[in-house]
């Protein structure tokens, strides 16, 4: 039977981390689920690990063009496949801190409180870590929030070069710990600890991305249909405007309508905002979810991110898998500044070609020389929600990302301080690159959840305030970006929303 003739309990737009986790939990509880994905499966092939294919030819990146606040077109580094952006993620699966759920004073302003406390959210982190297969060591992180037990898998350990750096850091009073990471590295696992993980797709299926850990197992229940290469154009509502009745989809230039009971937008923070804006109708002239608050698409955040190479010009760094170390000494109160600065974590090992793709005027041989002698870091600081940082649609339908970085002083201070520490460890040459608007990897916040319909787009279970049966379950819901990688928190919220739907909303699941 064609999916257009079937009726589903839940229709999910997007097979990324948010959509995949929803499909997984709902189907395991007996719900009939349809996932509509604009992309296809990413083929497992040699090019997955080719610097040329991934970074120069951009073989897997969308060809789409978006516009920045001045109207300049740019090609975003975003990926449309089963698994979404997690196909290329670094698999750092880190919990936000207890303080991230509360009002947190930053140098440039206030990071708002969440509608739920860390204590109430923690059980969903437990389940999210289990779903993603996170490795880590409880009790090592100096600002670790309370947790109910050990990680599902032990920390992956450091290669000798990274262990040596950790030791030197400790001698300087810094408290490095094992970065929580979701790769298939336990006994019998497929991961070979290669250099092409962070920023690449895994040819072996050994990275615990949303396809491998969430969508694949969901399909095995037999209760999930997945339609591919099908773009959702808009949500359709009934005449009252209170209920979504279906989605309009486009496949092979043909338009169709699919019906269901509950609808989940999990298209990613930018595309979910765009989709809800595109769904404007008579009852919702400014897009679905915009009537009560005019907040849809606003408060876009993406972190202040800097990649750093700490180079010893004469000593090679023989490390292969570098993303195993994390530093939180500067995340909350710290001895550098009287305000939070951010997180530092190992970056997947840089290769010369990855650098020359971004800085073409420096020859690849020189970049390669540096990359072989560098230790590489990802330095990440919170950007604060600003209603003027927003996603809108231009008159021709193109997505516009109007974004001006904020809280930059704290970020620059962290970059400077980490550079100083690296020099003191014997790496005299420091190269940094701040990520620009094209690097939308940590996009979030465009439909924040809250307790007040006047200031938020979603209620605390991610339901759009203005509609009875429309939910947004991807990075859109985050009211603050925090200074950590978002995927584990997206999965945790998906688990939470699924449990809420199963217990309170769905009519025909076995658990209902
Ligand atoms: C290089 C890189 C490294 C990263 N490293 C980390 C890391 O180490 N740790 C971490 O936590 N996070 C990391 N991230 C970020 C992480 O991958 C994302 O936060 C997360 O995957 C977002 O999940 P999502 O469900 O919000 O959206 P997405 O992953 O964007 O998924 C949305 C899905 O919806 C589909 N879709 C979009 N529009 C439509 C439409 N109209 N119709 C149908 N389908 C649609 C897309 O194709 C996609 O599959 C990284 C990202 C990148 C790119």
């Amino acid at each position: 039977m064609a999916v257009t003739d079937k009726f589903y309990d839940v229709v999910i737009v997007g097979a990324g981390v948010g959509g995949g986790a929803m499909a997984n939990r709902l189907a395991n509880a007996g719900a009939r689920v349809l996932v509509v994905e604009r992309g296809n499966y990413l083929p497992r092939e040699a090019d997955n690990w080719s610097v040329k294919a991934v970074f120069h030819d951009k073989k897997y990146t969308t060809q789409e063009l978006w516009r920045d606040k001045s109207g300049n077109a740019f090609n975003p580094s975003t990926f449309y496949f089963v698994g979404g952006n997690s196909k290329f993620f670094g698999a750092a699966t880190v919990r936000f801190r207890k303080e991230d759920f509360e009002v947190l004073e930053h140098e440039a302003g206030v990071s708002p409180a969440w509608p739920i406390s860390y204590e109430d959210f923690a059980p969903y982190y437990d389940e999210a870590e289990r779903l993603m297969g996170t490795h880590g060591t409880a009790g090592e992180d100096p600002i670790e929030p309370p947790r109910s037990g050990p990680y599902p898998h032990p920390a992956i350990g450091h290669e000798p070069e990274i262990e040596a750096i950790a030791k030197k850091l400790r001698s300087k009073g810094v408290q490095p710990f094992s970065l929580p990471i979701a790769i298939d590295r336990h006994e019998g696992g497929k991961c070979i600890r290669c250099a092409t993980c962070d920023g690449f797709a895994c040819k072996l299926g050994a990275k615990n991305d949303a396809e491998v850990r969430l969508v694949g197992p969901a399909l095995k229940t037999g209760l999930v249909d997945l339609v591919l290469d099908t773009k959702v154009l808009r949500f359709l509502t009934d005449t009252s405007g209170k209920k979504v009745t279906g989605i309009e989809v486009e496949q092979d230039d043909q338009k169709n309508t699919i019906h269901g009971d509950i609808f989940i937008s999990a298209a990613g923070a930018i595309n979910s905002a765009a989709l809800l804006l595109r769904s404007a109708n008579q009852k919702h002239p400014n897009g679905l979810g915009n009537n009560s608050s005019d907040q849809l698409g606003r408060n876009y955040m993406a972190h202040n991110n800097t990649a750093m190479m700490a180079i010893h010009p004469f000593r090679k760094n023989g490390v292969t898998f570098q993303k195993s170390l994390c530093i939180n000494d500067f995340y909350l109160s710290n001895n550098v500044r009287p305000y939070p600065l951010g997180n530092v974590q190992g970056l997947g090992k840089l290769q010369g070609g990855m650098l020359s793709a971004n800085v073409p005027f420096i020859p690849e041989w020189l970049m390669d020389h540096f990359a072989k002698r560098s230790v590489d870091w990802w330095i990440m600081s919170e950007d604060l929600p600003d209603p003027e940082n927003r996603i809108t649609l231009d008159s021709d339908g193109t997505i516009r990302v109007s974004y001006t970085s904020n809280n930059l002083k704290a970020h620059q201070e962290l970059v400077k301080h980490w550079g100083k520490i690296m020099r003191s460890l014997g790496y005299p040459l420091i190269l940094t690159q701040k990520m620009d608007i094209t690097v939308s990897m940590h996009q979030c916040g465009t439909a924040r959840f809250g307790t007040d319909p006047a200031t938020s787009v979603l209620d605390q279970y991610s339901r759009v305030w203005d509609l009875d049966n429309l939910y947004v379950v991807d990075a859109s819901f985050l009211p603050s970006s925090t200074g950590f990688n978002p995927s584990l928190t997206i999965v945790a919220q998906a688990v939470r929303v699924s449990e809420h739907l199963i217990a309170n909303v769905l009519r025909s699941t076995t658990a209902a």
Side-chain angles (χ1 to χ4, degrees):
M1 198 199 291
V3 294
T4 40
D5 301 328
K6 285 196 193 174
F7 192 88
Y8 293 92
D9 297 319
V10 183
V11 175
I12 300 174
V13 182
V17 163
M22 288 299 295
N24 189 302
R25 297 333 289 148
L26 291 169
N28 273 291
R32 289 161 305 173
V33 178
L34 175 69
V35 182
V36 184
E37 168 56 49
R38 70 187 285 173
N40 206 310
Y41 283 100
L42 191 145
R44 288 197 191 146
E45 56 189 9
D47 272 354
N48 292 168
W49 291 353
S50 156
V51 170
K52 181 175 177 301
V54 176
F55 288 88
H56 290 261
D57 302 343
K58 298 195 170 192
K59 176 170 179 175
Y60 304 109
T61 312
T62 179
Q63 304 291 305
E64 235 176 18
L65 293 177
W66 297 345
R67 294 196 188 103
D68 67 12
K69 64 182 174 195
S70 310
N72 299 316
F74 69 93
N75 174 223
S77 63
T78 206
F79 303 93
Y80 296 142
F81 292 99
V82 175
N85 281 297
S86 75
K87 289 307 295 177
F88 290 82
F89 81 159
T93 35
V94 188
R95 293 180 183 214
F96 294 174
R97 304 297 105 159
K98 183 175 160 19
E99 293 79 357
D100 288 321
F101 288 71
E102 299 159 4
V103 167
L104 191 56
E105 294 276 347
H106 283 264
E107 192 279 328
V110 166
S111 176
W114 288 35
I116 177 172
S117 68
Y118 173 81
E119 286 75 12
D120 290 338
F121 203 75
Y124 305 102
Y125 270 139
D126 291 347
E127 180 60 7
E129 284 172 351
R130 194 193 62 75
L131 275 171
M132 297 304 282
T134 301
H135 292 251
T137 303
E140 267 189 350
D141 176 349
I143 57 159
E144 184 174 71
R147 48 181 305 124
S148 64
Y151 282 87
H153 301 289
I156 59 168
H158 309 299
E159 290 178 34
E161 293 82 355
I162 301 300
E163 190 57 63
I165 288 175
K167 202 168 154 202
K168 284 191 201 168
L169 284 170
R170 280 186 209 108
S171 76
K172 303 265 173 203
V174 181
Q175 306 162 80
F177 63 96
S178 308
L179 175 68
I181 193 156
I183 53 177
D184 193 16
R185 186 65 193 168
H186 56 82
E187 190 78 31
K190 292 194 287 258
C191 176
I192 58 167
R193 269 188 96 123
C194 68
T196 43
C197 187
D198 195 2
F200 296 83
C202 184
K203 194 166 71 173
L204 308 176
K207 179 154 70 175
N208 295 354
D209 60 42
E211 180 204 342
V212 171
R213 295 295 294 199
L214 305 172
V215 180
L219 292 171
K220 285 204 178 113
T221 62
L223 289 170
V224 179
D225 287 338
L226 172 64
V227 287
L228 301 171
D229 296 319
T230 304
K231 187 174 173 186
V232 177
L233 302 177
R234 60 195 177 110
F235 291 102
L236 307 166
T237 71
D238 65 5
T239 46
S240 76
K242 286 297 289 172
K243 202 169 177 296
V244 173
T245 53
I247 48 174
E248 186 181 59
V249 301
E250 186 175 57
Q251 188 185 45
D252 296 332
D253 293 328
Q254 289 228 330
K255 287 186 184 166
N256 270 311
T257 304
I258 295 174
H259 300 283
D261 198 358
I262 307 285
F263 292 84
I264 314 284
S265 186
I270 292 176
N271 274 302
S272 272
L275 183 55
L276 267 64
L277 289 167
R278 274 193 201 108
S279 304
N281 61 28
Q282 231 179 359
K283 293 281 177 193
H284 301 270
N286 300 314
L288 301 189
N290 231 356
N291 281 358
S292 303
S293 66
D294 185 34
Q295 290 297 303
L296 174 65
R298 295 187 185 270
N299 305 301
Y300 171 71
M301 295 165 283
H303 283 151
N304 291 310
N305 292 308
T306 292
M308 175 186 283
M309 298 172 80
I311 302 163
H312 188 298
F314 310 117
R315 194 175 60 220
K316 283 196 175 177
N317 176 10
V319 76
T320 305
F321 191 94
Q322 190 174 243
K323 203 172 177 68
S324 63
L325 203 66
C326 193
I327 293 94
N328 272 339
D329 294 59
F330 318 105
Y331 191 80
L332 296 170
S333 63
N334 61 84
N335 58 11
V336 183
R337 287 288 182 272
Y339 38 81
L341 298 181
N343 165 269
V344 180
Q345 58 187 245
L347 184 58
K349 186 69 205 90
L350 290 174
Q351 302 178 44
M354 291 160 76
L355 303 163
S356 57
N358 287 333
V359 196
F361 52 89
I362 303 186
E364 189 164 330
W365 66 263
L366 184 59
M367 286 303 197
D368 208 42
H369 179 86
F370 285 154
K372 286 195 170 112
R373 289 158 182 81
S374 68
V375 184
D376 315 304
W377 302 98
W378 187 252
I379 304 176
M380 187 169 27
S381 310
E382 182 158 351
D383 54 345
L384 302 169
D386 173 353
E388 297 312 314
N389 282 344
R390 63 187 296 204
I391 309 304
T392 50
L393 297 174
D394 282 356
S395 53
D396 62 356
T398 300
I399 291 174
R400 185 176 285 234
V401 183
S402 302
Y403 179 75
T404 307
S405 306
N406 61 41
N407 205 23
L408 273 173
K409 185 166 180 261
H411 182 63
Q412 284 155 358
E413 283 166 347
L414 180 57
V415 172
K416 195 169 162 206
H417 187 68
W418 195 246
K420 204 167 118 194
I421 290 182
M422 283 298 108
R423 276 191 209 94
S424 77
L425 259 49
Y427 296 91
L429 187 54
I430 304 293
L431 297 183
T432 59
Q433 190 183 2
K434 166 107 170 51
M435 300 301 129
D436 64 13
I437 193 169
T438 64
V439 183
S440 52
M441 58 170 66
H442 290 173
Q443 55 178 275
C444 64
T446 55
R448 63 182 179 185
F449 75 162
T451 50
D452 182 357
T455 56
S456 54
V457 179
L458 311 175
D459 75 7
Q460 63 146 320
Y461 290 107
S462 276
R463 183 180 65 84
V464 176
W465 283 112
D466 299 339
L467 287 122
D468 293 338
N469 62 341
L470 178 60
Y471 296 75
V472 182
V473 189
D474 53 26
S476 309
F477 85 96
L478 298 178
S480 58
S481 69
T482 80
F484 289 112
N485 326 60
S487 62
L488 189 77
T489 305
I490 303 170
V491 176
Q493 173 71 351
V495 172
R496 190 169 165 264
V497 174
S498 301
E499 286 190 7
H500 168 72
L501 290 179
I502 292 157
N504 304 307
V505 182
L506 281 170
R507 288 193 293 270
S508 54
T509 63
T510 51

